[in-house]
Amino acid sequence: MPDALQSLALPCLGEFLAALQIQYALLGKGRLPLWASVAGSLALWAVTQALWGHYTAFSFWALFFNALRMLMASMFFGGTLTKKAFSVVACGGITLFYGNLLGSLVARFRQIRLAQVWLTPEIMVLYLLLNLFVYLGIRVLKKQSWVEEPMQRRLSGLYLTVLTLLSVILTAFGQMSLQYEFLFLICLGLVISVMIYFALLAIFNARLAQANQTALQMKMEQERADALMESYQAQRRLTHEFTNHMDAVNFYLNKGDAAGAREYLASVAQRISAGTSVVNTHNPLLDALLSRAYHSASEKEIMMNFDLCDLRQFPLSNTDMVTVISNLLDNAIRAAAQADPPQINVRIKQMDGEYVVSVRNRVREDVPLHGDELPASTKQEPGHGVGLANVRSVLVRYGGEYAISCKDRWFCFTFTVPVPAA
């Protein structure tokens, strides 16, 4: 029996490593560094494996024990308790799909029971393939733009939960039956149904993301046109009133009131400067976006500070730049306007082959965060969350990374994008 337990430990480890990949993809990083989370999870596996005792692979007790162990491992990562529970369902569903599908094949060709498959030498090769499939699957899914609505998210969770329960029933059936062709066909059907589900979900999300992007682009273009028209009209008014301004200055000078003339000229200069760019990054569109945000913040009496470098090679396209920068600055202005003191710091620097962009702003109270999850918010609520899903989808397409933090009433969104090759 000790040899059997030792043989079972290796496939259990392969299954557990696949589950850790899934949990990190679904939950993100927790409060601990990633290496500490992985080390803690592996220590948990080693302790629980030693305490497991005598068991039958894929029995109901083994399934319950593994689910409990995966739930404990999820505590090392981020996410809410609901997401942690769903991650356990996802881990169980994927490993059971894979175990039932390939286990039934091995059992059929070797003429052994399903419970004995996990003692065969080739089982580790199967679990190495499982980890490879999980890794590649996560890479593919991360490139998609997932914009799920709450109802869609609940139905997705329900669908995957039902499939996982069916896999549990099939697993129990496989321990008592030798009809592995029947088991294989059912498992294959379940796997195909999941693949079709994710394909349909990807198509739906791609169209939804495209619709959102189009709507956002139209909104930004309209705002840009309105701002241009407003600037043009203001310039016409200033040009038309130039003679009146000169008459006013002459009036003060003829009275010998030099201080009054200087004060009047300062007020006119201030009005003119309000329509000009306040930064110069050698990127005209970025200058316009930052200047518009600065004037908007000034109207709300928000102090906005810039620390910028030369951005003529900034890699984002015009549309994506408007999506990312405008969303971050609009959210920052909206939140800082309710804070005391109202302040925003924008920093864009180039270092180590990438651009590092940081938008920090004061908030009225700390925003609850879970790892790198986007903060929940709606258009009716003050604070953050509006448009950040679009920001994330853009950064993923450019191979960028982002981090979110909120401490001592300072909210910070930092992201990096690689510098384009020369």
Side-chain angles (χ1 to χ4, degrees), residues 50 78 124 156-157 225 229-230 248 260 268 279 282 290 317 329 338-339 342 344 349 351 365 380 389 401:
M124 275 312 298
S156 300
M229 180 60 68
E230 182 180 351
V268 174
V279 296
H282 304 287
L290 296 176
S317 68
L329 294 180
Q338 306 172 38
I344 300 174
K349 292 293 183 181
M351 55 183 67
E365 57 185 17
Q380 288 75 30
E401 298 180 349

Side-chain angles (χ1 to χ4, degrees), residues 282-388:
H282 304 287
N283 187 318
L285 178 57
L286 193 54
D287 290 345
L289 293 174
L290 296 176
S291 298
R292 182 179 67 85
Y294 177 84
H295 295 310
S296 178
S298 297
E299 292 175 358
K300 296 178 173 60
E301 298 183 350
I302 300 173
M303 179 183 296
M304 178 174 282
N305 302 313
F306 296 103
D307 184 9
L308 309 172
C309 63
D310 190 318
L311 296 172
R312 70 186 73 196
Q313 299 297 328
F314 199 64
L316 271 61
S317 68
N318 288 348
T319 302
D320 292 332
M321 192 184 305
V322 170
T323 299
V324 172
I325 301 300
S326 292
N327 272 304
L328 293 180
L329 294 180
D330 288 348
N331 282 343
I333 291 172
R334 186 181 300 109
Q338 306 172 38
D340 185 20
Q343 184 176 349
I344 300 174
N345 297 330
V346 180
R347 186 173 188 266
I348 307 179
K349 292 293 183 181
Q350 180 180 343
M351 55 183 67
D352 299 330
E354 60 185 9
Y355 285 102
V356 181
V357 182
S358 174
V359 179
R360 298 177 70 242
N361 62 272
R362 287 284 190 181
V363 289
R364 183 172 54 188
E365 57 185 17
D366 286 343
V367 180
L369 299 173
H370 302 282
D372 287 338
E373 290 184 16
L374 299 180
S377 179
T378 65
K379 291 183 179 180
Q380 288 75 30
E381 296 174 353
H384 292 268
V386 179
L388 290 184

